[in-house]
Amino acid sequence: MKVFKNKTTRFLTTSLVAVLLLCICVFSFLALHMNQESTQTINQVGNLYMSNMSQQISMHFETTISLRLDQLEAIVLTTSPEEGQDRSALNDYLIYQTEARGFDYLGLYSSNGTFEMLSGDQLEVTDPEPFLESLNAGQKKVAIGTNSQGDKVILLGISATYLMADGQPCTALVAGLPASYI
């Protein structure tokens, strides 16, 4: 006990305890502060990454759909119905052109919203009104539909005037791809 009675020893012991407490407080504060800063940085990096990935995916989807619509438009522009042309030969050529471009479905779409399928299963448009309105107005349109098995299909429509089986002109040529393509 004589050791603690010495003023110098007591001062050094008290100073050591005070420095230890100060170090513990400082390092605890730094650890908490760095943890908070790391969390904020990770959140910012995550948000930036997800935002840019969303933009990239959106641009990829837009480019893919635009390419497919251009391919369908090229088919319509290069395959025009002619007077006296054999309808089945024209349909076979349309089927060949769409299959060569990787489309799984092809149909003629009437102005009242019914399909005459040339290739693939029967299709049904999920939301037919806007799709039909756009095609009747002569616009290109993309929609979601389902095939006869209930699988989702991406439908691409472009205005065309091919003759349907009943002799009436269709309002559009519609090609389809499985949703898994995207």
Side-chain angles (χ1 to χ4, degrees), residues 150-182:
D151 298 328
K152 294 213 180 278
V153 177
I154 297 170
L155 302 173
L156 302 127
I158 190 155
S159 291
T161 55
Y162 300 111
L163 292 179
M164 299 180 76
D166 62 5
Q168 296 297 317
C170 67
T171 194
L173 183 67
V174 177
L177 297 162
S180 61
Y181 172 80
I182 300 298

Side-chain angles (χ1 to χ4, degrees), residues 24-43:
I24 289 171
C25 289
V26 167
F27 283 116
S28 296
F29 171 76
L30 284 174
L32 291 173
H33 180 70
M34 292 305 293
N35 187 25
Q36 187 179 35
E37 289 294 318
S38 295
T39 302
Q40 287 177 347
T41 302
I42 289 171
N43 286 339

